[in-house]
């Protein structure tokens, strides 16, 4: 979906009607390259060993952030009056025995092991998984009334394993498509399925080749554990999952009414939605895993609002503090091989931005009218775990949180002139962001890479799912940004090269901090809180009774 490029002239009337003429005006605070650099330098130091979730390095980073919050004069907003919301996590790992997947059907019996032409998912609740069932092809496996899609119509999948195409139909708006694609397991569960396997479309295989999927297939799974001790699973009845490469997928479709090639050809057309049917094959999935419990904290602070009428409304500025730690040694590595993933830009730079905004807000002689919550989340790299836990167990009632801006991996490698606010098309946060940064000569640009489904891959999405208008703010593709993003994503992203040896533009860091301060003040000081647009998909799905702004 293309985001509309909106400037101050396009602001909704409710926002235009709320300039702060009746409020004392705060001078714009100073943000310096040195301020951003000093924070990034500390958080990306080798001694923190890549800030992996649950690690000693992450604990040091959390204490550093808490000490800065205290230095600024903020109030703790974690558990029991502390800075920390400590989360118990369950880590699920593979054993030395690889999982196996067996397809039995018209082509006979064929077996694969995990990491070959099949990738077998881990189960948080079954360490000794052994499940067999008939197969039903369910198209993309999407069901959503608002989008008018029901790929399960006329199909009986009770007690069976469903086979679904990866991704979503061409022509579906990217953010809505990314959301319903992420909800496929819940849809399968609602219809009584006990497992799900996925096969690639022509587009999905181009976007994320099999070799890339195999590269990340042996990483452990994480989920948060409830206060009652139960690991969270959004579709617990889906006991088994797997992804299939072509040889395994062809075996699954042997003897089917339509070939896999014909299905993929249909799916590759605009609006193509292959219909489902029962397959003539069955699958057995076996897998062994082990689990252990670890803990890791979110770090949470609050700046109380100055307006008695608005102080019980909260704006959340978030950034994830964790990264991916130390890479395993590879053949040929020496004692001097750098294996520490320092995460300077991902996401020490986001945390530095948040801390500088917190410093400026706390020091301002004119405090924000609404209260501000600053959240340094854990477990983002493990599946948005810390943000999901916080959004479900917030410091304040969730309905009093009126908006969220998430800061994840601002690419401070070029003098950016635009920003992208992923999710800006769904609420008045879009024009708020555009109007706030326009005086800096910065424009708001559309999502430049909708095929990557960024909207569901960062922490703000966890707030959206709780009904809160939210955006993920990143530096844009203009003025050399596209080249810089391409080089980074193909090079230093999730790599030891994301460190202080990069040619980081610290002036861009100061400029990004100023932009976010202006956005935060615009959200906190306006008479009207951020609102979902009328008839917006996400607003209607997650906040059906909340007030609306007219779409412009």
């Amino acid at each position: 979906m293309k985001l509309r490029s909106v400037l101050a002239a396009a602001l909704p009337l409710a926002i235009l009607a709320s300039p702060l003429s009746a409020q004392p005006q705060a001078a714009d605070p100073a943000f310096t390259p040195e301020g951003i650099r000093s924070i990034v330098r500390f958080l990306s130091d080798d001694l923190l060993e890549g800030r992996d979730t649950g690690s000693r390095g992450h604990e040091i980073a959390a204490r550093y952030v808490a000490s800065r919050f205290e230095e600024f004069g903020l109030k703790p907003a974690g558990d029991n009056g502390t800075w920390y919301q400590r989360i118990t996590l369950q880590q699920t790992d593979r054993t030395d025995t690889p999982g196996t997947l067996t397809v039995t059907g018209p082509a006979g019996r064929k077996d694969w092991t995990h990491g070959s032409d099949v990738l077998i998912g881990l189960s948080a609740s079954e360490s000794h998984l052994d499940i067999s069932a008939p197969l039903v092809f369910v198209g993309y496996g999407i069901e959503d009334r608002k989008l008018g899609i029901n790929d399960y119509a006329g199909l009986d999948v009770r007690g069976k394993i469903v086979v679904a195409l990866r991704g979503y139909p061409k022509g579906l708006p990217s953010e809505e498509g990314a959301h319903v694609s992420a909800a496929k397991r819940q849809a399968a569960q609602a219809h009584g399925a006990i497992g799900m396997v996925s096969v690639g479309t022509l587009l999905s295989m181009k976007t994320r080749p099999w070799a890339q999927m195999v590269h990340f297939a042996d990483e452990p799974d994480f989920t948060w554990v409830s206060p009652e001790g139960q690991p969270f699973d959004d579709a617990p009845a889906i006991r088994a999952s797997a992804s299939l490469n072509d040889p395994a997928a062809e075996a699954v479709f042997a003897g089917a009414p339509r070939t896999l090639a014909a299905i993929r050809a249909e799916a590759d057309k605009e609006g193509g939605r292959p219909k489902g049917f029962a397959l003539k094959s069955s699958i057995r999935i076996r897998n062994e895993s082990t689990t252990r419990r670890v803990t890791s904290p979110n770090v949470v602070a609050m700046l109380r609002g100055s307006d008695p009428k608005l102080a019980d409304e909260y704006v959340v500025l978030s950034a994830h503090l964790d990264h991916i730690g130390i890479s395993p040694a590879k053949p040929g590595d020496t004692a001097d091989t750098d294996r520490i993933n320092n995460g300077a830009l991902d996401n020490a730079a986001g945390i530095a931005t948040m801390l500088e905004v917190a410093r400026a807000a706390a020091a301002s002689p004119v405090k924000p009218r609404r209260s501000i919550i600053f959240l340094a989340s854990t477990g983002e790299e493990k599946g948005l775990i810390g943000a999901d836990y916080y959004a479900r167990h917030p410091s304040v009632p969730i309905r009093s949180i009126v908006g969220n801006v998430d800061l994840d991996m601002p690419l401070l490698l070029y003098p950016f002139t635009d920003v992208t606010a992923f999710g800006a098309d769904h609420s008045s946060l879009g024009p708020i962001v555009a109007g706030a940064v326009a005086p800096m000569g910065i424009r708001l640009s559309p999502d430049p890479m909708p095929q990557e489904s960024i909207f569901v891959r960062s922490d703000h999405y966890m707030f959206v799912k709780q009904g809160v208008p939210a955006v993920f703010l990143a530096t844009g593709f203009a003025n050399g940004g596209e080249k810089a993003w391409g080089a980074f994503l193909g090079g230093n992203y999730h790599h030891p090269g994301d460190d202080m040896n990069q040619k980081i533009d610290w002036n861009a860091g100061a400029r990004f901090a100023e932009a976010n301060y202006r956005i935060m003040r615009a959200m906190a000081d306006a008479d009207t809180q951020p609102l979902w647009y009328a008839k917006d998909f996400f607003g209607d799905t997650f906040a059906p009774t909340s007030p609306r702004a007219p779409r412009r």
Side-chain angles (χ1 to χ4, degrees):
M1 178 175 61
K2 297 295 184 184
L3 306 187
R4 291 173 300 134
S5 182
V6 284
L7 298 175
L11 292 175
L13 293 177
I15 297 170
L16 285 172
S18 60
L20 307 180
S21 56
Q23 303 295 324
Q25 298 297 298
D28 290 338
F31 296 94
T32 66
E34 294 75 21
I36 297 292
R37 180 170 55 201
S38 65
I39 299 170
V40 174
R41 183 179 298 280
F42 180 87
L43 292 176
S44 62
D45 192 281
D46 279 357
L47 290 176
L48 273 67
E49 298 181 332
R51 307 187 309 277
D52 200 6
T53 301
S55 71
R56 179 175 178 270
H58 183 272
E59 293 287 342
I60 294 171
R63 280 156 178 74
Y64 170 80
V65 170
S67 72
R68 298 303 305 272
F69 284 156
E70 186 171 20
E71 173 192 342
F72 302 154
L74 303 178
K75 300 300 182 184
D79 297 329
N80 304 314
T82 71
W83 299 105
Y84 310 107
Q85 183 186 49
R86 188 158 290 279
I87 307 170
T88 300
L89 307 171
Q90 178 170 295
Q91 177 179 333
T92 304
D93 291 276
R94 300 183 188 279
T95 68
D96 292 335
T97 302
T100 61
L101 185 148
T102 300
V103 177
T104 303
R109 169 177 165 162
K110 297 188 177 182
D111 299 281
W112 290 271
T113 58
H114 169 78
S116 57
D117 284 314
V118 302
L119 303 177
I120 299 172
L122 292 167
S123 170
S125 57
E126 294 189 57
S127 57
H128 305 285
L129 180 68
D130 189 345
I131 182 172
S132 302
L135 298 172
V136 178
F137 174 59
V138 292
Y140 281 99
I142 292 171
E143 182 180 34
D144 190 276
R145 292 181 181 178
K146 294 179 180 64
L147 297 177
I149 299 176
N150 182 6
D151 287 338
Y152 286 87
L155 299 176
D156 180 7
V157 302
R158 290 171 294 179
K160 298 172 185 176
I161 294 174
V162 298
V163 180
L165 298 171
R166 286 196 287 275
Y168 53 87
K170 281 189 172 182
L172 199 65
S174 64
E175 294 177 349
E176 287 86 339
H179 166 72
V180 294
S181 183
K184 290 182 182 182
R185 293 175 72 251
Q186 295 97 305
Q189 173 179 263
H191 287 275
I194 60 173
M196 169 174 277
V197 299
S198 64
V199 298
T201 62
L202 298 178
L203 177 61
S204 72
M205 291 187 295
K206 181 180 179 180
T207 303
R208 192 157 286 111
W210 185 255
Q212 182 180 350
M213 295 175 64
V214 171
H215 180 73
F216 296 103
D218 288 330
E219 294 183 352
D221 275 2
F222 287 81
T223 188
W224 55 263
V225 178
S226 71
E228 296 73 34
Q230 294 299 313
F232 175 72
D233 188 342
D234 58 8
I238 302 302
R239 296 172 53 203
S241 62
S243 295
L244 310 182
N245 199 18
D246 280 0
E250 293 288 357
V252 162
F253 280 89
R258 299 186 68 194
T259 66
L260 179 58
I263 289 169
R264 283 174 168 165
E266 181 184 354
D268 204 45
K269 297 177 181 177
E270 191 81 5
R273 284 174 40 204
K275 292 188 179 299
F277 47 80
L279 292 163
K280 297 181 179 181
S281 52
S282 63
I283 271 184
R284 182 182 184 185
I285 299 175
R286 289 174 288 181
N287 201 37
E288 302 288 322
S289 60
T290 61
T291 62
R292 69 186 185 99
R293 299 281 171 96
V294 298
T295 69
S296 188
N298 289 329
V299 191
V300 197
M302 184 186 300
L303 177 64
R304 186 68 180 168
S306 62
D307 188 328
K309 295 181 179 179
L310 299 178
D312 288 333
E313 295 180 2
Y314 299 84
V315 170
V316 176
L317 188 64
S318 60
H320 74 89
L321 181 59
D322 63 302
H323 196 50
I324 60 173
I326 302 175
S327 297
K330 300 190 296 289
D333 283 353
T334 68
D336 296 328
T337 299
D338 184 6
R339 296 189 289 113
I340 299 175
N341 297 283
N342 303 91
L345 295 176
D346 184 16
N347 185 41
I351 289 289
T353 303
M354 182 188 70
L355 286 175
E356 281 293 271
V357 172
R359 173 192 59 79
S364 175
V366 180
K367 297 296 187 289
R369 298 174 69 195
R370 289 182 176 82
S371 298
I372 313 296
I373 292 174
F374 298 96
L375 170 65
S377 64
T378 187
E380 190 272 350
E381 303 287 5
K382 309 303 184 187
L384 318 183
I385 292 175
D388 187 31
Y389 189 88
Y390 183 84
R392 295 172 186 268
H393 306 85
S395 308
V396 296
I398 190 64
R399 293 301 169 226
S400 66
I401 297 178
V402 299
N404 164 240
V405 174
D406 185 56
L407 309 173
D408 187 357
M409 204 169 76
L411 207 63
L412 308 179
L413 298 174
Y414 60 101
F416 71 94
T417 58
D418 69 326
V419 294
T420 299
F422 297 93
D425 235 15
H426 302 291
S427 73
S428 61
L429 275 179
I432 288 173
V433 169
V437 301
M440 299 176 64
I442 297 172
R443 63 184 175 87
L444 178 63
S445 292
D447 180 352
M449 38 188 170
Q451 73 281 1
E452 293 292 339
S453 302
I454 300 295
F455 184 70
V456 302
R457 291 172 55 191
S458 199
D459 282 345
H460 73 291
Y461 180 56
M462 298 295 104
F463 287 92
V464 169
K465 290 170 69 174
Q466 299 304 317
V468 178
V471 295
F472 156 35
L473 198 77
T475 49
F477 266 31
N479 201 41
E482 183 173 6
K483 181 178 178 181
W485 274 101
F488 183 80
L489 293 175
N492 288 335
Y493 173 65
H494 281 197
H495 184 273
D498 183 12
D499 60 15
M500 292 293 288
N501 292 319
Q502 299 172 99
K503 293 183 178 179
I504 298 175
D505 184 340
W506 298 111
N507 288 313
R511 183 169 166 83
F512 193 69
E514 180 184 347
N516 278 281
Y517 180 82
R518 289 171 176 270
I519 293 166
M520 179 274 294
R521 291 298 305 226
M523 294 170 66
D525 291 342
D527 290 339
T528 303
Q529 68 188 52
L531 298 175
W532 292 106
Y533 282 140
K535 298 182 179 180
D536 178 75
F537 174 84
F538 292 96
D540 290 349
T541 299
F542 297 114
T545 62
S546 67
R548 293 291 195 267
R551 186 181 294 274
R552 292 179 179 270

